[in-house]
Amino acid sequence: MSKIAEVKAKVEAGKAKLIAGLVQEALDEGNAAGDILEAMIESMGVVGDKFSTGDLFVPEMLMAAKAMSKGVEVLKPLLTGESTSSLGTCVIGTVEGDLHDIGKNLVAMMIESAGFKVVDLGVDVSAEKFINAVKDNENVTLVACSGLLTSTMPAMKGTVQALKASGLKGFKVIVGGAPLTEAFAAEVGADGFAPDAGSAAVKAKELVSA
Ligand code: B1M
Protein backbone atom coordinates (compact mmCIF):
# COMPACT_ATOMS: atom_id res chain seq x y z
CA MET A 1 0.00 0.00 0.00
CA SER A 2 1.38 3.47 -0.89
CA LYS A 3 1.86 5.94 1.98
CA ILE A 4 -0.91 8.15 0.64
CA ALA A 5 -3.31 5.18 0.56
CA GLU A 6 -2.24 4.37 4.12
CA VAL A 7 -3.03 7.96 5.22
CA LYS A 8 -6.45 7.62 3.57
CA ALA A 9 -7.18 4.29 5.26
CA LYS A 10 -6.05 5.46 8.71
CA VAL A 11 -8.11 8.67 8.53
CA GLU A 12 -11.14 6.55 7.63
CA ALA A 13 -10.35 4.30 10.57
CA GLY A 14 -9.95 7.32 12.88
CA LYS A 15 -6.39 6.46 13.92
CA ALA A 16 -5.60 10.00 15.07
CA LYS A 17 -2.32 9.15 16.83
CA LEU A 18 -0.79 7.65 13.70
CA ILE A 19 -1.72 10.33 11.20
CA ALA A 20 0.94 12.99 11.80
CA GLY A 21 3.72 10.42 11.31
CA LEU A 22 2.10 8.89 8.24
CA VAL A 23 1.48 12.28 6.61
CA GLN A 24 5.14 13.16 7.19
CA GLU A 25 6.19 9.83 5.65
CA ALA A 26 3.91 10.49 2.66
CA LEU A 27 5.56 13.90 2.21
CA ASP A 28 9.04 12.34 2.56
CA GLU A 29 8.05 9.87 -0.18
CA GLY A 30 7.55 12.86 -2.47
CA ASN A 31 3.77 13.25 -2.39
CA ALA A 32 2.48 16.82 -2.78
CA ALA A 33 0.75 18.35 0.26
CA GLY A 34 -2.33 19.11 -1.89
CA ASP A 35 -2.62 15.46 -2.96
CA ILE A 36 -2.41 14.25 0.64
CA LEU A 37 -5.09 16.77 1.64
CA GLU A 38 -7.28 15.62 -1.25
CA ALA A 39 -6.89 11.99 -0.10
CA MET A 40 -7.97 12.91 3.43
CA ILE A 41 -10.99 14.85 2.10
CA GLU A 42 -11.94 11.73 0.10
CA SER A 43 -11.68 9.69 3.32
CA MET A 44 -14.18 12.00 4.99
CA GLY A 45 -16.51 11.46 2.03
CA VAL A 46 -16.26 7.70 2.54
CA VAL A 47 -16.90 8.14 6.28
CA GLY A 48 -19.96 10.30 5.51
CA ASP A 49 -21.30 7.70 3.08
CA LYS A 50 -20.82 4.94 5.65
CA PHE A 51 -22.65 7.09 8.21
CA SER A 52 -25.52 7.54 5.75
CA THR A 53 -25.81 3.78 5.22
CA GLY A 54 -25.62 3.03 8.95
CA ASP A 55 -22.23 1.31 8.66
CA LEU A 56 -20.68 3.66 11.18
CA PHE A 57 -21.89 6.14 13.77
CA VAL A 58 -21.19 9.58 15.27
CA PRO A 59 -18.23 8.48 17.48
CA GLU A 60 -16.44 7.03 14.43
CA MET A 61 -17.14 10.22 12.44
CA LEU A 62 -15.63 12.18 15.29
CA MET A 63 -12.50 10.00 15.40
CA ALA A 64 -12.05 10.37 11.65
CA ALA A 65 -12.41 14.15 12.00
CA LYS A 66 -9.76 14.19 14.75
CA ALA A 67 -7.44 12.13 12.58
CA MET A 68 -7.89 14.46 9.63
CA SER A 69 -7.22 17.52 11.80
CA LYS A 70 -3.92 15.98 12.93
CA GLY A 71 -2.95 15.49 9.30
CA VAL A 72 -3.92 19.04 8.35
CA GLU A 73 -1.67 20.37 11.16
CA VAL A 74 1.34 18.76 9.45
CA LEU A 75 0.34 20.08 6.02
CA LYS A 76 -0.58 23.61 7.10
CA PRO A 77 2.89 25.21 6.68
CA LEU A 78 3.13 23.68 3.22
CA LEU A 79 -0.31 24.77 2.07
CA THR A 80 -0.08 28.36 3.22
CA GLY A 81 2.34 31.09 2.21
CA GLU A 82 3.54 34.23 3.96
CA SER A 83 0.55 36.42 4.83
CA THR A 84 0.85 40.16 4.35
CA SER A 85 -2.57 40.92 5.92
CA SER A 86 -3.07 43.69 3.38
CA LEU A 87 -6.66 42.72 2.57
CA GLY A 88 -8.03 43.50 6.02
CA THR A 89 -9.61 41.23 8.60
CA CYS A 90 -11.79 38.21 7.83
CA VAL A 91 -14.14 37.05 10.56
CA ILE A 92 -14.96 33.37 10.04
CA GLY A 93 -17.14 30.82 11.79
CA THR A 94 -19.49 27.89 11.41
CA VAL A 95 -23.09 29.02 11.83
CA GLU A 96 -25.29 28.43 14.87
CA GLY A 97 -26.29 24.82 15.51
CA ASP A 98 -23.47 23.42 13.40
CA LEU A 99 -20.35 21.79 14.90
CA HIS A 100 -18.47 20.88 11.70
CA ASP A 101 -15.16 22.71 11.51
CA ILE A 102 -12.69 20.91 9.24
CA GLY A 103 -13.88 22.64 6.06
CA LYS A 104 -14.11 25.97 7.88
CA ASN A 105 -10.54 25.54 9.17
CA LEU A 106 -9.28 24.83 5.65
CA VAL A 107 -11.08 27.90 4.33
CA ALA A 108 -9.59 30.00 7.17
CA MET A 109 -6.14 28.70 6.29
CA MET A 110 -6.46 29.54 2.59
CA ILE A 111 -8.01 32.96 3.26
CA GLU A 112 -5.18 33.77 5.67
CA SER A 113 -2.59 32.83 3.10
CA ALA A 114 -4.40 35.01 0.54
CA GLY A 115 -3.54 38.06 2.68
CA PHE A 116 -6.26 38.48 5.31
CA LYS A 117 -5.85 38.61 9.07
CA VAL A 118 -8.24 35.87 10.22
CA VAL A 119 -10.38 36.01 13.35
CA ASP A 120 -11.83 32.51 13.82
CA LEU A 121 -14.97 32.42 15.96
CA GLY A 122 -15.13 28.62 15.93
CA VAL A 123 -18.33 26.60 15.58
CA ASP A 124 -21.98 27.13 16.58
CA VAL A 125 -21.62 30.88 16.06
CA SER A 126 -24.76 32.97 16.47
CA ALA A 127 -25.58 35.91 14.20
CA GLU A 128 -25.05 38.20 17.19
CA LYS A 129 -21.54 36.85 17.73
CA PHE A 130 -20.67 37.47 14.07
CA ILE A 131 -21.99 41.04 14.35
CA ASN A 132 -20.08 41.70 17.58
CA ALA A 133 -16.89 40.42 15.96
CA VAL A 134 -17.33 42.89 13.09
CA LYS A 135 -17.74 45.68 15.67
CA ASP A 136 -14.88 44.55 17.92
CA ASN A 137 -12.18 43.97 15.30
CA GLU A 138 -10.37 46.54 13.20
CA ASN A 139 -10.88 46.82 9.46
CA VAL A 140 -13.19 43.84 8.94
CA THR A 141 -13.52 43.53 5.17
CA LEU A 142 -14.95 40.01 5.00
CA VAL A 143 -17.29 37.77 6.99
CA ALA A 144 -17.09 34.09 6.04
CA CYS A 145 -19.86 31.71 7.15
CA SER A 146 -19.55 27.95 6.87
CA GLY A 147 -22.32 25.38 7.24
CA LEU A 148 -22.44 21.63 6.60
CA LEU A 149 -25.96 20.72 7.63
CA THR A 150 -29.14 21.15 5.63
CA SER A 151 -30.82 21.81 8.97
CA THR A 152 -28.60 24.84 9.64
CA MET A 153 -29.23 26.51 6.27
CA PRO A 154 -31.93 28.67 7.93
CA ALA A 155 -29.30 29.79 10.48
CA MET A 156 -27.02 30.69 7.56
CA LYS A 157 -29.81 32.76 6.03
CA GLY A 158 -30.54 34.43 9.38
CA THR A 159 -26.86 35.25 9.89
CA VAL A 160 -26.41 36.84 6.46
CA GLN A 161 -29.61 38.82 6.83
CA ALA A 162 -28.71 40.00 10.35
CA LEU A 163 -25.25 41.12 9.15
CA LYS A 164 -26.82 43.01 6.26
CA ALA A 165 -29.45 44.61 8.53
CA SER A 166 -26.90 45.55 11.23
CA GLY A 167 -26.08 48.90 9.67
CA LEU A 168 -22.38 48.02 9.81
CA LYS A 169 -20.50 48.80 6.60
CA GLY A 170 -17.23 48.04 4.85
CA PHE A 171 -17.39 44.24 4.66
CA LYS A 172 -18.60 41.57 2.25
CA VAL A 173 -20.17 38.25 3.20
CA ILE A 174 -19.08 34.94 1.69
CA VAL A 175 -20.81 31.64 2.45
CA GLY A 176 -19.98 28.02 1.72
CA GLY A 177 -20.27 24.41 2.81
CA ALA A 178 -21.41 21.19 1.20
CA PRO A 179 -25.21 21.73 1.10
CA LEU A 180 -24.99 25.32 -0.16
CA THR A 181 -25.19 26.54 -3.73
CA GLU A 182 -24.50 29.75 -5.59
CA ALA A 183 -28.28 30.18 -5.96
CA PHE A 184 -28.85 29.79 -2.20
CA ALA A 185 -26.10 32.32 -1.48
CA ALA A 186 -27.69 34.85 -3.82
CA GLU A 187 -31.17 34.17 -2.43
CA VAL A 188 -30.08 34.87 1.18
CA GLY A 189 -28.22 38.03 0.16
CA ALA A 190 -24.61 36.89 0.51
CA ASP A 191 -22.07 38.70 -1.66
CA GLY A 192 -20.29 35.52 -2.65
CA PHE A 193 -20.20 31.73 -2.55
CA ALA A 194 -17.38 29.25 -2.98
CA PRO A 195 -17.57 25.47 -3.24
CA ASP A 196 -14.17 24.71 -1.70
CA ALA A 197 -11.31 26.23 0.29
CA GLY A 198 -9.14 27.13 -2.68
CA SER A 199 -11.90 28.95 -4.53
CA ALA A 200 -13.01 30.62 -1.27
CA ALA A 201 -9.63 32.37 -1.10
CA VAL A 202 -9.87 33.46 -4.73
CA LYS A 203 -13.46 34.71 -4.25
CA ALA A 204 -12.54 36.46 -0.98
CA LYS A 205 -9.81 38.47 -2.72
CA GLU A 206 -12.15 39.28 -5.61
CA LEU A 207 -14.92 40.48 -3.26
CA VAL A 208 -12.79 42.87 -1.24
CA SER A 209 -10.93 44.18 -4.27
CA ALA A 210 -14.16 44.97 -6.18
CO1 B1M B 1 -21.50 15.24 10.40
N1 B1M B 1 -22.69 15.24 8.88
N2 B1M B 1 -23.03 15.29 11.61
N3 B1M B 1 -20.19 15.12 11.80
N4 B1M B 1 -20.23 14.86 9.05
C1 B1M B 1 -22.08 15.32 7.54
C2 B1M B 1 -21.93 16.77 7.10
C3 B1M B 1 -23.11 14.51 6.66
C4 B1M B 1 -23.11 14.91 5.17
C5 B1M B 1 -22.86 12.99 6.84
C6 B1M B 1 -23.84 12.14 6.07
O1 B1M B 1 -24.95 11.95 6.53
N5 B1M B 1 -23.46 11.63 4.91
C7 B1M B 1 -24.47 14.83 7.41
C8 B1M B 1 -25.20 16.09 6.96
C9 B1M B 1 -26.40 15.83 6.09
C10 B1M B 1 -27.02 17.11 5.72
O2 B1M B 1 -27.56 17.78 6.54
N6 B1M B 1 -26.94 17.46 4.45
C11 B1M B 1 -23.98 14.94 8.83
C12 B1M B 1 -24.81 14.78 9.98
C13 B1M B 1 -26.25 14.35 9.71
C14 B1M B 1 -24.35 15.01 11.30
C15 B1M B 1 -25.17 14.90 12.60
C16 B1M B 1 -26.58 15.49 12.53
C17 B1M B 1 -25.18 13.41 12.98
C18 B1M B 1 -26.00 13.08 14.21
O3 B1M B 1 -25.72 13.53 15.28
N7 B1M B 1 -26.97 12.24 13.99
C19 B1M B 1 -24.26 15.66 13.60
C20 B1M B 1 -24.59 17.15 13.66
C21 B1M B 1 -23.83 17.84 14.77
C22 B1M B 1 -23.94 19.34 14.63
O4 B1M B 1 -23.21 19.94 13.85
N8 B1M B 1 -24.86 19.95 15.36
C23 B1M B 1 -22.92 15.46 12.96
C24 B1M B 1 -21.73 15.44 13.68
C25 B1M B 1 -20.49 15.25 13.14
C26 B1M B 1 -19.22 15.14 13.98
C27 B1M B 1 -19.18 16.12 15.15
C28 B1M B 1 -19.15 13.72 14.55
C29 B1M B 1 -18.09 15.30 12.90
C30 B1M B 1 -17.55 16.75 12.77
C31 B1M B 1 -16.29 16.98 13.54
C32 B1M B 1 -15.61 18.27 13.14
O5 B1M B 1 -15.88 18.89 12.13
N9 B1M B 1 -14.69 18.64 13.99
C33 B1M B 1 -18.86 14.99 11.61
C34 B1M B 1 -18.22 14.70 10.38
C35 B1M B 1 -16.74 14.45 10.43
C36 B1M B 1 -18.93 14.62 9.16
C37 B1M B 1 -18.39 14.24 7.76
C38 B1M B 1 -18.16 12.71 7.77
C39 B1M B 1 -17.11 14.89 7.31
C40 B1M B 1 -17.15 16.43 7.32
C41 B1M B 1 -15.82 16.95 6.88
O6 B1M B 1 -15.02 17.36 7.71
N10 B1M B 1 -15.51 16.84 5.57
C42 B1M B 1 -19.59 14.71 6.84
C43 B1M B 1 -19.72 13.85 5.58
C44 B1M B 1 -19.06 14.52 4.38
O7 B1M B 1 -18.56 15.61 4.41
N11 B1M B 1 -19.14 13.85 3.26
C45 B1M B 1 -20.70 14.82 7.79
C46 B1M B 1 -14.20 17.23 5.02
C47 B1M B 1 -14.17 18.76 4.79
C48 B1M B 1 -12.83 19.15 4.22
O8 B1M B 1 -15.17 19.04 3.85
O9 B1M B 1 -16.53 20.32 5.53
O10 B1M B 1 -17.44 19.81 3.21
P1 B1M B 1 -16.30 20.14 4.09
O11 B1M B 1 -15.63 21.48 3.58
C49 B1M B 1 -15.33 21.75 2.22
C50 B1M B 1 -16.49 22.43 1.47
O12 B1M B 1 -17.76 22.15 1.99
C51 B1M B 1 -16.12 23.88 1.49
O13 B1M B 1 -14.70 23.86 1.49
C52 B1M B 1 -14.23 22.78 2.29
C53 B1M B 1 -12.88 22.28 1.81
O14 B1M B 1 -12.69 22.32 0.43
N12 B1M B 1 -16.52 24.76 2.57
C54 B1M B 1 -16.59 26.11 2.34
C55 B1M B 1 -16.82 24.55 3.86
N13 B1M B 1 -17.08 25.70 4.48
C56 B1M B 1 -16.94 26.68 3.57
C57 B1M B 1 -17.07 28.07 3.70
C58 B1M B 1 -16.84 28.85 2.55
C59 B1M B 1 -16.52 28.28 1.34
C60 B1M B 1 -16.38 26.91 1.22
O15 B1M B 1 -16.94 30.18 2.55
C61 B1M B 1 -17.13 30.85 3.78
Side-chain angles (χ1 to χ4, degrees), residues 27 38 64 66 70 96 118 120 127 150 187 195-196:
L27 286 168
E38 208 46 56
K66 278 193 183 149
K70 294 280 177 204
E96 190 161 24
V118 170
D120 189 343
T150 314
E187 184 196 315
D196 56 51

Side-chain angles (χ1 to χ4, degrees), residues 80-112:
T80 57
E82 281 290 301
S83 169
T84 55
S85 298
S86 60
L87 297 174
T89 300
C90 167
V91 167
I92 189 166
T94 304
V95 297
E96 190 161 24
D98 200 326
L99 302 176
H100 296 86
D101 69 356
I102 297 181
K104 184 264 297 167
N105 293 344
L106 290 176
V107 171
M109 224 165 81
M110 299 311 287
I111 283 183
E112 188 175 2

